[in-house]
Amino acid sequence: MPLALLALAIGAFGIGTTEFVIMGLLPQVADDYGLSIPTAGYLVTGYALGVMFGAPLMTVLGTKVSRKRMLMLLMGLFIAGNLLSALAPAFAVMLIGRVVASLAHGAFFGIGSVVAADLVAPDKKAGAISMMFTGLTVANVVGVPLGTLVGQSVGWRVTFGIVAALGVIGLAGVARLVPDMPKPEGVRLRHELAAFKNAQVLLAMAMTVLGFGGVFAAITYIAPMMTHVAGYADGSVTWLLVLFGLGMVGGNLIGGRYADRALMPLLYVSLGALAVVLALFTLTAHDKIAAAVTIVLIGALGFASVPPLQKRVLDHAHGAPTLASAVNIGAFNLGNALSAWLGGLVIAAGFGYTAPNWVGAALVAAALALALLSAALERRDTAHSTLVHGAVPAERRTAVHQ
């Protein structure tokens, strides 16, 4: 794999750390600013909304520059946002810093996915994408726990200062290692927008919302579930999240390895198994060991679908994939927000802390149904193309084979 993927992974590590580390530092931030924890929680909501809206916005703004230059600009934005958060004299200023940093998130992963795929041979594209996303998954194993520990020990501002420094390293890596690949000739914004007329692109994005949303339906409420149902101590939640992160790392690598060989079968297996595991979590959550094993499986099966879904968007938006790729990253955050809201509804309705697991299982089952529908439509279109034209385009032959 090219060294350029290491630079992308470092940037992804910093982004993943700043996205999730705030969850462990909310009490400290709230105390410093004299706020309630729910009010401090706007730092999480604001970041998620920034990713959703920032992904297409920043990608569109970047259509006039090369992808390498845009990646560098995005890392600069990321650095500025985290520095602003670290130095913020008031909560409103910190919230602005979080939103500024989040604007880089979706576009970095979207453009980075295109760059990663272009760096390798066609049969290694999903593997290259997964290598970049490894930075995000490792952030949950290393960056978030260490950032939380630093923030609780010497102050949350130091944590955000360190994250900004990671951004500087990522920026230097992109500048030094990522080749300055020219933009495809003749590709304009209208070509990027045309990708959204493709039903397969929209279906892949819907699978992203529902599939990974199912994961966050359970994981968002992992703390009360593990402390009130499984009987873990409060301090154990950090290590349970590390287990979840380890599962994400493994699932991401597996997804990247096999998506290039059998993309749709991998989606069937990962989504089907994830729906079953989430449903079983309502039972295994009552036992400490079984709950820990289940958390690892949720992380692994959930992230095994990330490289194939991102690659599927790239495959069907071929020729002008950058905007579609970035919007698909926003779809992950939309799924997270939707599932967290639905999970909160069933808990508030009195169904208990394990009820979000059923919500997650239902969302993932819907994603699996969409995967089956997507494959059926693709077979129909291929058969029609063969009947009318007597030949099947190369990219469609590859997709159907997968």
Side-chain angles (χ1 to χ4, degrees):
M1 288 290 180
L3 278 176
L5 293 177
L6 176 61
L8 296 175
I10 292 172
F13 178 84
I15 291 173
T17 299
T18 204
E19 179 180 18
F20 295 111
V21 76
I22 188 62
M23 297 176 186
L25 298 177
L26 281 182
Q28 287 74 29
V29 174
D31 286 345
D32 273 8
Y33 288 124
L35 303 169
S36 67
I37 288 181
T39 300
Y42 288 135
L43 296 171
V44 178
T45 305
Y47 190 96
L49 292 175
V51 175
M52 287 172 53
F53 292 106
L57 174 63
M58 298 307 297
T59 304
V60 168
L61 292 176
T63 55
K64 301 298 183 182
V65 300
S66 70
R67 288 167 180 163
K68 174 178 179 175
R69 182 171 296 181
M70 191 60 195
L71 287 172
M72 293 173 64
L73 291 172
L74 290 170
M75 288 310 299
L77 198 63
F78 172 81
I79 295 166
N82 281 285
L83 282 177
L84 187 59
S85 294
L87 302 173
F91 177 74
V93 178
M94 186 181 184
L95 181 58
I96 292 171
R98 290 286 292 168
V99 172
V100 169
S102 73
L103 293 176
H105 184 127
F108 183 88
F109 280 106
I111 297 172
S113 294
V114 177
V115 170
D118 286 347
L119 288 170
V120 298
D123 62 340
K124 297 183 182 297
K125 289 183 181 295
I129 293 170
S130 77
M131 286 300 294
M132 182 188 69
F133 275 97
T134 296
L136 176 64
T137 58
V138 171
N140 285 274
V141 180
V142 179
V144 173
L146 286 180
T148 301
L149 181 63
V150 169
Q152 292 173 345
S153 302
V154 296
W156 58 268
R157 294 181 186 275
V158 177
T159 296
F160 283 100
I162 293 173
V163 171
L166 287 173
V168 173
I169 297 172
L171 173 59
V174 170
R176 179 69 179 85
L177 299 174
V178 174
D180 196 3
M181 296 177 290
K183 295 190 304 176
E185 291 294 331
V187 175
R188 301 288 185 269
L189 178 58
R190 66 177 183 275
H191 301 119
E192 297 278 358
L193 293 172
F196 296 94
K197 297 180 181 178
N198 187 317
Q200 293 294 351
V201 171
L202 298 179
L203 282 170
M205 291 179 179
M207 283 185 266
T208 297
V209 172
L210 297 172
F212 209 71
V215 172
F216 267 77
I219 295 303
T220 298
Y221 301 98
I222 196 70
M225 196 188 310
M226 291 299 95
T227 55
H228 290 82
V229 180
Y232 278 104
D234 291 345
S236 299
V237 174
T238 298
W239 300 110
L240 290 170
L241 289 174
V242 170
L243 291 179
F244 174 68
L246 288 171
M248 290 171 67
V249 173
N252 176 61
L253 294 176
I254 292 171
R257 180 178 179 85
Y258 291 101
D260 284 315
R261 305 179 187 180
L263 192 150
M264 292 308 293
L266 174 62
L267 280 179
Y268 301 151
V269 172
S270 60
L271 292 174
L274 179 58
V276 172
V277 168
L278 283 168
L280 289 175
F281 199 20
T282 58
L283 302 176
T284 60
H286 294 269
D287 179 82
K288 288 184 178 180
I289 295 176
V293 172
T294 305
I295 288 169
V296 175
L297 289 175
I298 291 173
L301 292 169
F303 233 84
S305 67
V306 172
L309 284 172
Q310 193 71 4
K311 182 175 184 291
R312 191 156 177 84
V313 169
L314 295 180
D315 286 344
H316 288 280
H318 52 83
T322 309
L323 181 59
S325 176
V327 171
N328 196 48
I329 299 300
F332 282 102
N333 284 269
L334 176 60
N336 297 351
L338 173 66
S339 61
W341 175 66
L342 291 174
L345 284 182
V346 294
I347 291 176
F351 291 102
Y353 287 120
T354 62
N357 299 328
W358 285 112
V359 173
L363 291 173
V364 176
L368 176 59
L370 290 181
L372 295 170
L373 173 63
S374 176
L377 291 175
E378 199 163 49
R379 287 192 297 269
R380 184 200 65 182
D381 291 345
T382 300
H384 177 73
S385 179
T386 303
L387 180 65
V388 173
H389 302 293
V392 183
E395 67 272 6
R396 186 167 292 173
R397 287 200 303 271
T398 301
V400 171
H401 175 70
Q402 290 175 332

